[in-house]
Amino acid sequence: MVDALERARAATSGSCASAPAGGGSAHAAGAAEPEGASEALSVSAAMALAKGALEGVVVRLVGEVSETSSKRGYKAMYFTVKDADAALPCMMWMGRYKASGVDLAVGQLVELTGRFTLYAAKGRMNFDVFSIELAGEGRLRAQVAALARKLEAEGLMDPARKLPIPQFPLTIGIVTSPRGDAVHDMLRTLRNRFPVARVFVAGVQVEGAQAAANIVEGMRCMYRAGVEVMLVGRGGGSYEDMMPFNDEALARAIAACPIPVVTGIGHEPDTFIADMVADRRASTPTYAAMAVTPTRENLEELFCAHARSLSMSAGRAVERAAAEVRRCAERPVIRDPNSLLAAPMQGVDMASERLFRAIPASLERDRATLDRQRERLSRLLPEGVARELAALERYRERLLPALPASLECDRVRVGHARQRLASQGPGLVPRFGQQAALAAARLEDLSPLSVIGRGYAIARTQEGVVAKSVEDAPPGSALEVTVSDGVLACRVESARREDIEMILWEDEGNGDR
């Protein structure tokens, strides 16, 4: 760049800057003519000479965008950058501008690389921009925007992923600087709005290169403490000071936190990536504390609503119980208790009436029979027997009044006997069990295994069929003969038909002999 400046200085020292119109003098009033300026140049030639000298100078500069001009059909983007003492018009061909990915706006601080050039038709100098980048805070904002787009594409900012904030958290964690105003504002707000909550504070560094890692560690401490909701925030500051809250590791930690996270960072217009991935974003630390605590009015309204609900539920329960009592009271059994036992009691009365009618008649018949027997005995027996009969008559007269009570006692004893008989029914089961055992013993005697045990055998063919005839086992066939202690594998050499009764008779005869 120094060489280009030297070449430009040498080129301009040997010629005039401009030529007068109409062939007049080319010198300014009072100016001495430079040495070596032997002939005057035309305006076009002078502009071409200056343009050639300027375009050899490629520089990189930083300035603030003060104005922009881009209309439909323009082939270039026109804008002006400035600093405290100067302004420089710039142009950038549209292809280069779109490829840079920068969206110019007034107030941005940009870093430009390009060369000076002249627009000969108007005699204006501007800066031909080769490349453009955001500088300072603008660069940081571009990086943050790119990270935000990446995290949004991964779903970390999806509202469906975010956790609900507890309505009445009893344990609240705060992750912030222990020396700033933010922690005092949050503690004061929590104490005034919801004093029953326990508050845990993790004092961490919120500014500097290690701030993001410290905030993540503070969040881990709050998780281990078992808080129900977590506040992460700090007071205001420059955009560079707030950069820890745009850290990717912190954003992923907030998104992965199993506890709801509420952020309150900076002031009202500030929004950071930590705000975007948090379960709820508050504009300031104070509003963050308000977001996790209910107001007194909300509590009173909630308690009133619950009181109304309980009252209505209790009223409905009382009404249902009263209706049930009324239904029970309308039942005939409740209205007239005697109706339940009316039929059995009438039956008892009728049976008692029949019994009391039957007993005197029976006693009268017995009395008449006794009188006849007494007369016969009095004629047949001595007087001693008559006396005994008289005594017996007295006993009978004494017995008659007690007979109904005796009958009632007999009825009670019969009832007891019937109950004992019903309870002794299961005692009959063993007798039938013995009969079943005898039947099982008979079946055991008829079992083929018992027959084999007595010395007989069973022959089966290879198909497992019992050989009952010589035709079932022709010579050469294989047989399995089951005896009492195993199975014999045999082969039939010959077979003959004989009378089985004769064989059994001979066996019995041999046994007798």
Side-chain angles (χ1 to χ4, degrees):
M1 184 176 67
V2 176
D3 295 339
L5 290 175
E6 292 295 334
R7 288 196 302 271
R9 186 179 299 108
T12 55
S13 61
S15 61
C16 294
S18 61
S25 174
H27 305 290
E33 181 180 354
E35 296 181 359
S38 58
E39 62 181 282
L41 297 176
S42 66
V43 175
S44 299
M47 294 298 293
L49 181 64
K51 181 176 181 181
L54 290 174
E55 289 182 350
V57 181
V58 178
V59 297
R60 185 166 56 239
L61 58 89
V62 176
E64 179 184 345
V65 178
S66 60
E67 61 179 350
T68 61
S69 177
S70 176
K71 297 181 180 179
R72 184 183 300 273
Y74 275 18
K75 304 301 182 182
M77 176 69 178
Y78 300 95
F79 58 97
T80 303
V81 295
K82 67 175 184 177
D83 58 13
D85 299 322
L88 176 65
C90 303
M91 57 85 64
M92 186 175 188
W93 298 111
M94 195 60 70
R96 294 176 183 173
Y97 175 68
K98 292 180 178 180
S100 68
V102 177
D103 189 9
L104 282 178
V106 175
Q108 288 180 334
L109 189 66
V110 294
E111 181 176 321
L112 309 176
T113 300
R115 63 184 178 181
F116 294 97
T117 185
L118 287 177
Y119 181 52
K122 297 292 184 179
R124 296 177 181 173
M125 183 188 73
N126 55 16
F127 191 69
D128 185 8
V129 180
F130 299 157
S131 64
I132 183 171
E133 295 179 358
L134 295 176
E137 182 177 324
R139 180 182 298 176
L140 294 178
R141 291 186 183 273
Q143 295 173 355
V144 170
L147 178 59
R149 289 191 296 270
K150 173 184 174 182
L151 298 181
E152 184 177 11
E154 295 180 11
L156 270 64
M157 302 177 188
D158 187 2
R161 180 203 59 79
K162 299 186 178 184
L163 302 175
I165 307 302
Q167 189 175 10
F168 303 107
L170 297 180
T171 53
I172 302 173
I174 298 177
V175 181
T176 187
S177 172
R179 293 180 295 274
D181 294 336
V183 64
H184 298 292
D185 294 340
M186 288 189 281
L187 289 175
R188 181 171 56 253
T189 302
L190 294 176
R191 183 171 58 251
N192 293 337
R193 289 171 60 91
F194 201 53
V196 298
R198 297 178 60 195
V199 181
F200 299 86
V201 178
V204 297
Q205 181 182 351
V206 294
E207 185 177 327
Q210 302 299 322
N214 290 341
I215 296 172
V216 173
E217 184 60 29
M219 293 174 59
R220 291 196 185 98
C221 294
M222 292 296 101
Y223 174 75
R224 289 192 291 266
V227 300
E228 299 177 45
V229 65
M230 194 182 307
L231 304 180
V232 177
R234 64 155 288 170
S238 65
Y239 195 81
E240 290 79 2
D241 294 340
M242 297 292 191
M243 282 304 293
F245 294 95
N246 290 320
D247 185 78
E248 181 176 1
L250 175 60
R252 295 187 182 277
I254 293 175
C257 184
I259 300 172
V261 178
V262 179
T263 55
I265 305 168
H267 301 298
E268 180 71 32
D270 299 332
T271 301
F272 303 93
I273 291 181
D275 294 324
M276 301 176 188
V277 300
D279 298 295
R280 182 177 295 180
R281 181 253 177 186
S283 57
T284 63
T286 300
Y287 283 119
M290 295 173 63
V292 300
T293 53
T295 63
R296 186 182 301 275
E297 293 76 11
N298 291 340
L299 288 175
E300 291 178 354
E301 182 179 355
L302 179 64
F303 291 155
C304 291
H306 283 305
R308 289 192 298 270
S309 177
L310 288 174
S311 177
M312 294 174 61
S313 298
R316 287 193 294 267
V318 171
E319 290 177 359
R320 288 194 297 268
E324 185 66 23
V325 170
R326 287 193 295 270
R327 284 194 296 270
C328 293
E330 294 297 328
R331 293 178 181 176
V333 175
I334 303 300
R335 297 178 63 182
D336 185 9
N338 293 327
S339 63
L340 183 63
L341 301 176
M345 291 174 65
Q346 290 178 0
V348 170
D349 291 341
M350 295 173 64
S352 177
E353 184 179 356
R354 289 195 302 269
L355 179 63
F356 282 111
R357 283 200 306 267
I359 289 176
S362 178
L363 292 177
E364 187 63 29
R365 287 193 300 270
D366 293 340
R367 186 181 296 109
T369 302
L370 286 175
D371 290 341
R372 288 192 299 270
Q373 295 297 332
R374 185 174 62 251
E375 290 176 359
R376 292 176 62 187
L377 287 174
S378 62
R379 289 194 301 268
L380 298 175
L381 296 177
E383 294 181 358
V385 175
R387 287 194 300 270
E388 294 295 334
L389 289 175
L392 182 60
E393 180 64 21
R394 289 192 300 271
Y395 291 147
R396 185 178 65 82
E397 292 176 355
R398 293 173 59 187
L399 179 62
L400 287 177
L403 185 58
S406 177
L407 290 175
E408 183 64 25
C409 293
D410 292 340
R411 187 182 297 108
V412 173
R413 284 196 297 273
V414 169
H416 292 334
R418 182 168 59 251
Q419 293 178 356
R420 288 197 299 273
L421 179 61
S423 63
Q424 291 175 359
L428 301 175
V429 175
R431 179 165 59 83
F432 294 104
Q434 294 174 359
Q435 294 178 2
L438 292 174
R442 292 184 63 191
L443 289 175
E444 179 65 23
D445 294 339
L446 298 175
S447 174
L449 298 178
S450 300
V451 175
I452 293 174
R454 292 198 299 269
Y456 293 92
I458 299 176
R460 292 184 175 87
T461 64
Q462 290 182 341
E463 290 79 12
V465 180
V466 176
K468 300 179 180 179
S469 172
V470 294
E471 296 177 354
D472 296 337
S477 61
L479 294 176
E480 291 184 352
V481 180
T482 303
V483 294
S484 61
D485 59 349
V487 179
L488 302 175
C490 305
R491 187 172 297 277
V492 179
E493 295 183 354
S494 62
R496 65 180 182 277
R497 186 181 299 277
E498 294 183 0
D499 190 357
I500 190 64
E501 294 181 355
M502 181 63 69
I503 294 173
L504 294 176
W505 181 83
E506 288 178 358
D507 290 343
E508 291 175 358
N510 292 335
D512 293 339
R513 289 192 297 271

